[in-house]
Amino acid sequence: MTVEDEQLVIKHTITRLLAMREQSLHELALKLRQRNFNGELVQEWLNKFSCADLQSELRFAEMLARSRINKGLGELRLKNEFNQHNISQDIVKRVLQDLSPDWFELALQALNKKNARQGINSAKEQQKYYRFLQQRGFSAEQIHYAIQSLKD
């Protein structure tokens, strides 16, 4: 395959991937490396797409944050996903500030969705729900708030 052919294939591959959904630069680079494209050409085309605002880390971060918040995941889990996609801390702060979710209420909603509405009566149930919220990425304070709200 000539360099021109490879460039064309890279361009079309990136276009196809971005047409499906927003993707991070890290994610695109990984997918293109798996297809054994020339690393320098991949980086060149990723820069072109980024400069033309066809690929945006900010749009990707907003999409990811909204999606995960709607699934009932907490701030810690969301920040972990941002780290996995190599999203800068500036973008993370901006997205979380723009969305400004109430993590305490989201933790309570997650418990309500888990059928804890009838209340938490035993220490065993409390531990079960604590672990559930912890796995979803909520902080200890947020978990305590949600559990106490259902106990009262």
Side-chain angles (χ1 to χ4, degrees):
M1 182 184 304
T2 68
V3 172
E4 291 80 21
D5 290 341
E6 189 171 4
Q7 283 186 333
L8 192 59
V9 172
I10 291 171
K11 177 184 173 185
H12 289 296
T13 303
I14 294 172
T15 303
R16 255 192 345 272
L17 290 170
L18 288 174
M20 288 186 269
R21 68 169 175 82
E22 292 288 341
Q23 304 204 26
S24 68
L25 284 174
H26 175 74
E27 191 175 17
L28 286 170
L30 185 64
K31 289 178 180 182
L32 293 169
R33 267 189 249 120
Q34 289 173 345
R35 293 181 167 122
N36 295 322
F37 290 125
N38 179 321
E40 291 175 14
L41 291 177
V42 166
Q43 197 56 49
E44 177 185 328
W45 277 100
L46 288 176
N47 288 338
K48 286 180 183 180
F49 273 76
S50 187
C51 289
D53 202 32
L54 297 170
Q55 187 287 327
S56 168
E57 294 289 274
L58 179 61
R59 279 194 316 262
F60 171 77
E62 289 169 344
M63 180 269 313
L64 183 67
R66 280 192 302 273
S67 167
R68 298 313 186 252
I69 288 169
N70 288 338
K71 281 186 174 180
L73 299 182
E75 183 178 17
L76 301 174
R77 180 102 173 254
L78 183 57
K79 285 183 176 181
N80 185 36
E81 286 199 43
F82 283 139
N83 285 337
Q84 290 174 355
H85 287 280
N86 293 341
I87 304 296
S88 75
Q89 291 303 313
D90 294 337
I91 292 176
V92 171
K93 283 180 187 175
R94 182 174 168 189
V95 166
L96 292 179
Q97 201 170 35
D98 288 348
L99 293 176
S100 61
D102 184 348
W103 297 110
F104 292 91
E105 285 303 314
L106 287 171
L108 182 56
Q109 287 174 9
L111 271 188
N112 282 329
K113 197 172 182 182
K114 181 76 172 157
N115 276 337
R117 287 185 291 273
Q118 60 267 28
I120 299 173
N121 301 319
S122 67
K124 187 176 179 180
E125 281 181 327
Q126 186 172 341
Q127 289 173 346
K128 176 179 121 178
Y129 291 127
Y130 189 94
R131 282 190 307 274
F132 169 74
L133 289 175
Q134 193 175 34
Q135 289 172 345
R136 290 185 143 305
F138 291 101
S139 70
E141 298 86 29
Q142 295 158 356
I143 296 170
H144 181 73
Y145 167 82
I147 290 175
Q148 290 304 313
S149 295
L150 290 178
K151 279 177 105 176
D152 299 334

